[in-house]
mmCIF file of all heavy atoms in Angstrom:
data_model
loop_
_atom_site.group_PDB
_atom_site.id
_atom_site.type_symbol
_atom_site.label_atom_id
_atom_site.label_comp_id
_atom_site.label_asym_id
_atom_site.label_seq_id
_atom_site.Cartn_x
_atom_site.Cartn_y
_atom_site.Cartn_z
ATOM 1 N N THR L 114 12.797 58.997 -31.561
ATOM 2 C CA THR L 114 13.640 59.798 -32.436
ATOM 3 C C THR L 114 15.102 59.496 -32.155
ATOM 4 O O THR L 114 15.547 59.603 -31.007
ATOM 5 C CB THR L 114 13.380 61.308 -32.206
ATOM 6 O OG1 THR L 114 12.000 61.581 -32.423
ATOM 7 C CG2 THR L 114 14.227 62.159 -33.123
ATOM 8 N N PHE L 115 15.842 59.104 -33.204
ATOM 9 C CA PHE L 115 17.285 58.936 -33.068
ATOM 10 C C PHE L 115 17.913 60.320 -32.984
ATOM 11 O O PHE L 115 17.599 61.202 -33.787
ATOM 12 C CB PHE L 115 17.860 58.168 -34.264
ATOM 13 C CG PHE L 115 17.554 56.706 -34.223
ATOM 14 C CD1 PHE L 115 16.466 56.189 -34.905
ATOM 15 C CD2 PHE L 115 18.352 55.843 -33.493
ATOM 16 C CE1 PHE L 115 16.174 54.844 -34.868
ATOM 17 C CE2 PHE L 115 18.069 54.493 -33.445
ATOM 18 C CZ PHE L 115 16.981 53.990 -34.126
ATOM 19 N N ALA L 116 18.780 60.521 -31.988
ATOM 20 C CA ALA L 116 19.389 61.835 -31.757
ATOM 21 C C ALA L 116 20.892 61.696 -31.511
ATOM 22 O O ALA L 116 21.374 61.903 -30.394
ATOM 23 C CB ALA L 116 18.704 62.533 -30.586
ATOM 24 N N PRO L 117 21.662 61.325 -32.539
ATOM 25 C CA PRO L 117 23.102 61.142 -32.332
ATOM 26 C C PRO L 117 23.808 62.409 -31.858
ATOM 27 O O PRO L 117 24.810 62.327 -31.142
ATOM 28 C CB PRO L 117 23.614 60.701 -33.707
ATOM 29 C CG PRO L 117 22.563 61.122 -34.676
ATOM 30 C CD PRO L 117 21.264 61.105 -33.926
ATOM 31 N N GLU L 118 23.287 63.551 -32.217
ATOM 32 C CA GLU L 118 23.915 64.815 -31.815
ATOM 33 C C GLU L 118 23.736 65.094 -30.325
ATOM 34 O O GLU L 118 24.386 65.970 -29.780
ATOM 35 C CB GLU L 118 23.340 65.982 -32.650
ATOM 36 C CG GLU L 118 21.905 66.351 -32.336
ATOM 37 C CD GLU L 118 20.841 65.411 -32.942
ATOM 38 O OE1 GLU L 118 21.186 64.447 -33.651
ATOM 39 O OE2 GLU L 118 19.657 65.651 -32.680
ATOM 40 N N ARG L 119 22.875 64.330 -29.650
ATOM 41 C CA ARG L 119 22.628 64.556 -28.224
ATOM 42 C C ARG L 119 23.103 63.399 -27.338
ATOM 43 O O ARG L 119 22.762 63.341 -26.161
ATOM 44 C CB ARG L 119 21.148 64.840 -27.992
ATOM 45 C CG ARG L 119 20.724 66.190 -28.596
ATOM 46 C CD ARG L 119 19.266 66.551 -28.428
ATOM 47 N NE ARG L 119 18.666 66.189 -27.172
ATOM 48 C CZ ARG L 119 18.651 66.953 -26.078
ATOM 49 N NH1 ARG L 119 19.252 68.118 -26.087
ATOM 50 N NH2 ARG L 119 18.032 66.550 -24.994
ATOM 51 N N VAL L 120 23.893 62.482 -27.907
ATOM 52 C CA VAL L 120 24.388 61.369 -27.099
ATOM 53 C C VAL L 120 25.235 61.926 -25.950
ATOM 54 O O VAL L 120 25.934 62.925 -26.105
ATOM 55 C CB VAL L 120 25.173 60.354 -27.958
ATOM 56 C CG1 VAL L 120 26.512 60.906 -28.418
ATOM 57 C CG2 VAL L 120 25.359 59.041 -27.204
ATOM 58 N N ASN L 121 25.107 61.318 -24.790
ATOM 59 C CA ASN L 121 25.804 61.715 -23.561
ATOM 60 C C ASN L 121 25.315 63.047 -23.007
ATOM 61 O O ASN L 121 25.975 63.628 -22.153
ATOM 62 C CB ASN L 121 27.324 61.756 -23.756
ATOM 63 C CG ASN L 121 27.874 60.423 -24.174
ATOM 64 O OD1 ASN L 121 27.425 59.376 -23.714
ATOM 65 N ND2 ASN L 121 28.838 60.431 -25.080
ATOM 66 N N GLN L 122 24.178 63.526 -23.492
ATOM 67 C CA GLN L 122 23.602 64.761 -22.972
ATOM 68 C C GLN L 122 22.335 64.433 -22.185
ATOM 69 O O GLN L 122 22.004 63.277 -21.963
ATOM 70 C CB GLN L 122 23.308 65.723 -24.117
ATOM 71 C CG GLN L 122 24.574 66.181 -24.827
ATOM 72 C CD GLN L 122 24.272 67.158 -25.950
ATOM 73 O OE1 GLN L 122 23.212 67.760 -26.001
ATOM 74 N NE2 GLN L 122 25.238 67.319 -26.846
ATOM 75 N N GLY L 129 16.973 59.249 -28.359
ATOM 76 C CA GLY L 129 18.251 58.643 -28.015
ATOM 77 C C GLY L 129 18.840 57.837 -29.148
ATOM 78 O O GLY L 129 18.914 58.302 -30.281
ATOM 79 N N HIS L 130 19.219 56.612 -28.825
ATOM 80 C CA HIS L 130 19.851 55.723 -29.788
ATOM 81 C C HIS L 130 19.471 54.295 -29.416
ATOM 82 O O HIS L 130 18.735 54.071 -28.462
ATOM 83 C CB HIS L 130 21.372 55.922 -29.798
ATOM 84 C CG HIS L 130 22.015 55.686 -28.462
ATOM 85 N ND1 HIS L 130 22.020 56.628 -27.454
ATOM 86 C CD2 HIS L 130 22.638 54.596 -27.951
ATOM 87 C CE1 HIS L 130 22.636 56.144 -26.393
ATOM 88 N NE2 HIS L 130 23.019 54.900 -26.656
ATOM 89 N N TYR L 144 22.507 54.772 -34.540
ATOM 90 C CA TYR L 144 21.977 56.128 -34.587
ATOM 91 C C TYR L 144 20.976 56.287 -35.720
ATOM 92 O O TYR L 144 20.616 57.395 -36.090
ATOM 93 C CB TYR L 144 23.118 57.133 -34.760
ATOM 94 C CG TYR L 144 24.051 57.162 -33.581
ATOM 95 C CD1 TYR L 144 25.376 56.769 -33.715
ATOM 96 C CD2 TYR L 144 23.604 57.589 -32.347
ATOM 97 C CE1 TYR L 144 26.235 56.803 -32.634
ATOM 98 C CE2 TYR L 144 24.456 57.618 -31.257
ATOM 99 C CZ TYR L 144 25.776 57.240 -31.405
ATOM 100 O OH TYR L 144 26.626 57.275 -30.340
ATOM 101 N N GLY L 145 20.547 55.168 -36.276
ATOM 102 C CA GLY L 145 19.587 55.161 -37.366
ATOM 103 C C GLY L 145 18.956 53.782 -37.453
ATOM 104 O O GLY L 145 19.172 52.924 -36.601
ATOM 105 N N ASN L 167 19.440 59.337 -24.241
ATOM 106 C CA ASN L 167 20.687 60.017 -24.595
ATOM 107 C C ASN L 167 21.834 59.662 -23.660
ATOM 108 O O ASN L 167 22.985 59.593 -24.080
ATOM 109 C CB ASN L 167 20.478 61.544 -24.598
ATOM 110 C CG ASN L 167 19.541 61.976 -25.704
ATOM 111 O OD1 ASN L 167 19.491 61.381 -26.764
ATOM 112 N ND2 ASN L 167 18.773 63.022 -25.440
#
Side-chain angles (χ1 to χ4, degrees):
T114 303
F115 285 95
E118 70 282 359
R119 292 179 38 89
V120 71
N121 301 322
Q122 295 181 19
H130 58 280
Y144 295 115
N167 293 328

